[in-house]
Amino acid sequence: MGTLIVAAVDALVVRNHPREIGIDAFTWGNEAQQQHLPLGEIFRSKWIAVGGFGIVACTFAIAGTATWVVPAFIAVQHMAPDSGAVIGTVMGLSQVLFLVIGGYMSDRLGKPLMIKLTAFLALLTALMFLWSVVTPMPFGMLVLFAALSGIALLGGGAIFALLSEKYSDALAPAAIGYAEVFGILSAFVAPWMMGAIISASAGSFTGAFIAFAAVEFIIVGLLMILARDDVRQAVTVGSPAE
């Protein structure tokens, strides 16, 4: 609902250009005049799929774990409900830490590699929490798993940087926006899918985390195929003005 409210406000008040609010002489500087942005070109390149599925790998893992890990620990590991705050806080700090670390790594290891690595780590996160719902563990181990959960975001920054490189300056912002739609959808699908499985299995978390791992496995496979950066065919998707 909050997203819908913000979208409605934006639709009412946000304008595409300062000239639309009465600043007739405004200029961005020495920008090239764009008569038409060929948004269709975005979807003719494989990199929109790489960015989209890369974001899905991250957000599917984060949304699924943020929603169901604490209830799973309470139900399966008999963790005290009050300890849920500890797990949630550690998971949040882990995401920030690994996202920052991944930014430094992306500049050195290459962005396509980081995206594939992050998808693999998201799969590892799913398997890690699957293990936690089938095996009795001490509370310290649960905290450790929460501290490692942020690895699913290690290459999050590399996704946006890659799209900025693969598309022209005119198209990159739109490409990033469309790629983020994948993540928004997965942030809804992941907790809903896992919740539906838990409900259908009378409260069993095992099937939900198996499904979580299966989705991440599929994404890893897709990215291994798509995110191959052939330097002989390296091009930037541009606009007619370029």
Side-chain angles (χ1 to χ4, degrees), residues 5-207:
I5 291 170
V6 171
V9 172
D10 284 349
L12 291 173
V13 304
V14 174
R15 297 294 178 264
N16 292 323
H17 199 281
R19 295 190 186 97
E20 296 182 15
I21 59 174
I23 310 177
D24 295 329
F26 182 87
T27 176
W28 290 111
N30 297 321
E31 82 276 14
Q33 294 296 319
Q34 301 290 342
Q35 299 298 323
H36 173 65
L37 290 181
L39 295 180
E41 293 296 325
I42 293 174
F43 300 98
R44 295 188 183 98
S45 169
K46 70 176 183 179
W47 297 110
I48 186 66
V50 171
F53 285 119
I55 294 175
V56 169
C58 298
T59 54
F60 199 96
I62 296 304
T65 55
T67 306
W68 291 113
V69 162
V70 170
F73 285 176
I74 293 172
V76 177
Q77 300 292 346
H78 308 292
M79 181 183 74
D82 291 347
S83 298
V86 175
I87 298 298
T89 300
V90 171
M91 289 175 67
L93 293 173
S94 173
Q95 294 168 21
V96 174
L97 175 63
F98 281 104
L99 191 59
V100 172
I101 293 173
Y104 289 100
M105 294 177 63
S106 297
D107 293 334
R108 291 159 177 79
L109 298 181
K111 297 169 184 65
L113 174 60
M114 283 297 298
I115 292 172
K116 290 182 283 188
L117 174 62
T118 299
F120 176 78
L121 292 175
L123 170 61
L124 186 62
T125 299
L127 295 174
M128 181 175 67
F129 285 115
L130 173 60
W131 182 24
S132 75
V133 299
V134 297
T135 305
M137 294 179 177
F139 181 68
M141 184 67 74
L142 304 183
V143 174
L144 175 62
F145 280 9
L148 293 174
S149 65
I151 58 175
L153 282 180
L154 188 69
I159 299 168
F160 304 108
L162 178 72
L163 292 176
S164 296
E165 291 178 356
K166 296 301 181 181
Y167 291 95
S168 68
D169 291 344
L171 291 179
I176 291 171
Y178 286 122
E180 285 189 293
V181 172
F182 286 76
I184 293 170
L185 291 174
S186 67
F188 164 77
V189 171
W192 172 83
M193 179 195 76
M194 295 176 69
I197 294 173
I198 293 168
S199 178
S201 60
S204 173
F205 287 87
T206 303

